[in-house]
């Protein structure tokens, strides 16, 4: 569909206009995360589909699964040298690709800090490039569920549990903060705690386990530091979970924290673990706290509103239009599907190029527009000169 676009040729007998879709001059680099194996295979194959060579640097903690995807590509008939699997130290890989004059672009999913480092490195080498490199980034979020008093309680409870704690909260789209009317919170809290009492934490090889260990020691220490901070803060109360154990694997209990300060740092900073912070707000002040929620975090990836009342629903949808690249109404903030909810966010969440949608692939082509004249030009004079 993308390549079917052709420019207008109003005088087809005399002039033919066309567009040629070319791969970019140079190579693409794909830097992929640990938390979605499919993304590893996707970030390198999207440039290749559009005619580019790609260097694929997998996450250090997803080497085997990503190599399996690479081997499947080769077995399926992908020629050698198109997608190149290049396990490497992150800073070394970044330094090498950004110093090459042939860098055409970087397709990245990972942390804000790493993406900023790449962007700065590209800027420092700008004078050496054949063409300006294209930068695509998806960097995470501080995603919210905003609850109105008209919301369906079961939907709120189940949707928030799923969004906050699936895969140990190690999703860029995971719900990390919830705003809920004070009158609803006791019932929602009771039902969430009841579900948490049934959730097993253990080996991912056991299919009755809802969430397993977090990815590595660095993640464990980061998540634990936020939980320890909450335990020591007068504004925060740990109401569920809060236990961390790295004696055999890196296990963090699904944790719910209640805050009396909607602008506490735990409502602003990405944790990337099974930690949900809840702020109960006065029922009738939902627009005040919706506006506050839009300014609390520097991210703008995903978010959800739960409301059945039409007027409130309309007001909240309007309030959050700039703070979520993927927005959900009466549904959890996770679970986007290719072709159904093309994915990406603004602000520190990334460049919002909407992977899984049709316009994403245009980033990997360099279009050449061609005009062919079928009648020779016979005079040098401008029409206005006659």
């Amino acid at each position: 569909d993308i390549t079917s676009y052709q420019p207008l040729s109003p005088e087809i007998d005399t002039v033919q206009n066309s567009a040629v879709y070319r791969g970019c001059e140079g190579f693409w680099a794909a830097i992929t995360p640990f938390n979605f194996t499919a993304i590893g295979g996707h970030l390198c194959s999207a440039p290749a589909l559009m005619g580019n060579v790609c260097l694929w640097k997998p996450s250090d903690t997803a080497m085997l699964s990503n190599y399996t995807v690479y081997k499947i590509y080769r077995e399926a008939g992908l020629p050698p040298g198109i997608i190149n699997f290049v396990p490497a130290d992150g800073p070394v890989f970044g330094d090498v690709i950004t110093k090459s004059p042939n860098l055409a672009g970087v397709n990245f999913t990972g942390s804000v800090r790493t993406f900023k480092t790449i962007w700065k490195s590209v800027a420092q080498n700008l004078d050496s490039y054949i063409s300006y490199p294209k930068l695509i980034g998806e960097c995470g979020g501080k995603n919210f569920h905003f609850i109105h008093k008209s919301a369906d309680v079961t939907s709120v409870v189940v949707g928030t549990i799923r969004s906050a704690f699936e895969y140990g909260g190690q999703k860029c789209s995971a719900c990390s903060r919830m705003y809920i009317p004070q009158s609803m919170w006791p019932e929602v809290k009771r039902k969430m705690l009841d579900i948490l009492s049934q959730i097993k934490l253990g080996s991912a090889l056991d299919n009755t386990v809802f969430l397993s260990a977090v990815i590595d020691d660095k993640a464990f220490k980061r998540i634990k530091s936020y939980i320890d901070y909450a335990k020591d803060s007068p504004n925060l109360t740990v109401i569920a979970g809060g236990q961390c154990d790295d004696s055999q694997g890196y296990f963090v209990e699904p944790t719910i924290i209640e805050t009396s300060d909607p602008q506490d740092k735990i409502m602003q900073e990405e944790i990337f673990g099974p930690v949900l912070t809840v702020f109960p707000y006065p029922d009738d002040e939902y627009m005040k706290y919706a506006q506050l929620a839009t300014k609390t975090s520097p991210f703008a990836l995903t978010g959800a509103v739960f409301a059945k009342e039409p007027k409130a629903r309309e007001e909240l949808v309007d309030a959050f239009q700039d703070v979520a690249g993927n927005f959900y109404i009466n549904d959890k903030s996770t679970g986007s599907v290719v072709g159904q909810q093309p994915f990406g966010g603004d602000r520190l969440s990334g460049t919002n190029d909407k992977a899984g949608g049709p316009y994403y692939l245009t980033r990997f082509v360099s279009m050449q527009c061609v005009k062919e004249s079928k009648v020779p030009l016979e005079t040098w004079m401008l029409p206005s000169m006659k």
Side-chain angles (χ1 to χ4, degrees):
D1 287 347
I2 292 165
T3 57
S4 67
Y5 165 75
Q6 292 295 319
L8 298 175
S9 298
E11 301 172 3
I12 192 70
D13 293 336
T14 58
V15 173
Q16 178 68 53
N17 298 311
S18 61
V20 178
Y21 294 83
R22 310 168 295 175
C24 301
E25 188 177 14
F27 69 90
W28 275 81
I31 301 173
T32 63
F34 77 88
N35 58 332
F36 285 100
T37 300
I39 289 179
H42 156 73
L43 294 192
C44 60
S45 63
L49 283 169
M50 305 307 286
N52 299 280
V53 165
C54 190
L55 305 185
W56 176 8
K57 184 218 160 303
S59 167
D60 297 345
T61 48
M63 205 81 76
L64 180 59
S65 61
N66 283 194
Y67 185 56
T68 300
V69 172
Y70 172 73
K71 289 193 294 183
I72 291 169
Y73 283 162
R74 291 301 313 280
E75 183 180 332
L78 181 75
I82 304 300
I83 293 175
N84 303 275
F85 192 75
V86 188
D89 177 68
V92 172
F93 184 84
D95 186 57
V96 172
I97 63 167
T98 55
K99 284 183 177 177
S100 170
N102 297 305
L103 179 64
V106 178
N107 201 11
F108 174 87
T109 294
S111 71
V112 171
R113 184 178 66 179
T114 302
F115 191 51
K116 284 184 175 181
T117 299
I118 293 168
W119 200 296
K120 290 174 183 176
S121 185
V122 166
Q124 289 170 354
N125 292 286
L126 210 53
D127 292 336
S128 67
Y129 297 125
I130 294 171
S131 299
Y132 297 116
K134 300 180 181 182
L135 300 175
I136 299 173
E138 198 274 281
C139 303
K142 187 67 176 176
N143 312 294
F144 62 88
H145 281 184
F146 195 95
I147 319 302
H148 183 259
K149 62 184 179 181
S150 67
D152 179 85
V153 170
T154 301
S155 182
V156 170
V157 170
V158 174
T160 305
I161 290 283
R162 286 277 304 274
S163 180
F165 301 128
E166 278 183 337
Y167 201 61
Q170 298 171 115
K171 295 181 179 182
C172 49
S173 57
C175 178
S176 185
R177 53 187 171 126
M178 180 166 75
Y179 303 80
I180 189 166
Q182 290 171 347
S183 65
M184 290 182 69
W185 178 225
E187 180 183 6
V188 169
K189 175 165 61 173
R190 176 174 53 81
K191 291 185 175 182
M192 291 180 75
L193 295 181
D194 180 60
I195 291 175
L196 287 185
S197 71
Q198 303 172 54
I199 286 178
K200 288 174 60 177
L201 182 63
S203 169
L205 300 176
D206 179 352
N207 67 1
T208 66
V209 165
F210 184 76
L211 73 161
S212 187
V214 297
I215 189 64
D216 59 15
D217 61 331
K218 290 186 292 184
F220 178 85
K221 290 174 183 176
R222 182 185 66 249
I223 298 163
K224 185 177 183 298
S225 72
Y226 280 97
I227 294 174
D228 290 343
Y229 163 77
K231 291 176 178 177
D232 293 336
S233 171
N235 298 323
L236 304 172
T237 305
V238 178
I239 63 172
Q243 299 302 309
C244 306
D245 183 0
D246 63 348
S247 61
Q248 190 173 10
Y250 303 105
F251 288 92
V252 180
E253 285 185 338
T255 300
I256 300 177
I257 297 166
E258 185 175 336
T259 181
S260 59
D261 179 5
Q263 293 182 292
D264 191 279
K265 79 168 189 175
I266 209 166
M267 295 287 276
Q268 300 182 41
E269 299 176 7
E270 184 178 40
I271 301 173
F272 218 70
V275 179
L276 170 70
T277 306
V278 181
F279 174 69
Y281 68 85
D283 287 35
D284 295 326
E285 297 184 37
Y286 66 91
M287 284 306 298
K288 171 184 174 181
Y289 288 99
Q291 293 295 340
L292 181 66
T294 68
K295 303 179 181 69
T296 299
S297 168
F299 296 96
L301 188 57
T302 75
V305 298
F306 291 78
K308 292 191 291 186
E309 182 183 295
K311 181 175 182 293
R313 176 187 178 280
E314 182 180 348
E315 289 175 334
L316 290 169
V317 168
D318 185 60
F320 289 116
Q321 64 176 340
D322 291 326
V323 296
N326 282 64
F327 190 64
Y328 300 83
I329 302 170
N330 295 320
D331 202 350
K332 60 186 176 65
S333 65
T334 55
S336 67
V337 177
V338 170
Q340 296 183 31
Q341 297 96 27
F343 193 78
D346 296 300
R347 298 183 180 175
L348 291 191
S349 290
T351 54
N352 202 16
D353 285 287
K354 285 291 181 280
Y359 306 114
Y360 176 67
L361 293 176
T362 60
R363 296 282 276 149
F364 305 109
V365 296
S366 179
M367 187 188 295
Q368 182 184 58
C369 291
V370 179
K371 175 185 178 182
E372 180 182 358
S373 292
K374 300 179 180 180
V375 176
L377 192 62
E378 295 180 340
T379 179
W380 61 269
M381 294 181 64
L382 302 173
S384 58
M385 295 171 63
K386 295 181 180 179

